Amino acid sequence: MSKKRGLSVEEKRSRMMDFFFEKKDFFQLKELERQCQKEKGITSMSVKEILTSLVDDGMVDTDKIGTSVYFWAFPSKASQNRKRKLDDLTNRINDLDEKRRILADNVKKAKIGKENSEERSHLLKDLEEKKQEKTSLLKEIEKYRECDPEVLELVRKQTGEAKEAANRWTDNVFSTKSWIKNKFQFEESVIDKQFGIPEDFDYIE
């Protein structure tokens, strides 16, 4: 008989937020260690670590009253905080998408055969940095899906839009390759090597 798998960190975070949203009350650490283990299956030894991560992410509030430290989280505030964060991330993604579009146009206009390899390398480096930054933002958006059913559908929509934006950028790269191939009769492998495009470069599923 296989051993029962323990909860992952994300599962523990989600269950602890569920606990706060259900109770709508204030708790000390000892109370959380006892009740979260009993009601949500989160081991008492891991409660402090999970609670700290939620406080650091601004998902749980905390304050010291007298000699006691209390923790709480209410659904309404969580929804507002996440919506503001998602709006900010979406705006940054849209800005990155526009910058990548401009960079892709610049790459397309770069002339093959002239001594401008330094310029092309700089453009491609900028493209890669913007792509990595966008990937990081998409991961951060994914993190904010975990505990708030009120914004889950919104996050799904915005994640889809972000994926479409990434694929539009990928489409620009393929269009650039096609233009170079038709204009200068280069093989795709030569173009990929010239511009540092990896062999597995493709659309996001």
Side-chain angles (χ1 to χ4, degrees), residues 5-20:
R5 180 182 68 86
L7 297 174
S8 67
V9 172
E10 294 307 317
E11 288 172 331
K12 292 176 182 178
R13 284 166 57 94
S14 179
R15 291 192 181 193
M16 187 171 291
M17 292 305 299
D18 286 343
F19 174 83
F20 278 115

Side-chain angles (χ1 to χ4, degrees), residues 143-158:
K143 181 180 70 175
Y144 280 85
R145 297 177 60 183
E146 62 188 25
C147 298
D148 191 350
E150 294 184 26
V151 297
L152 179 58
E153 187 60 33
L154 174 63
V155 177
R156 286 175 178 165
K157 178 182 177 182
Q158 293 178 332

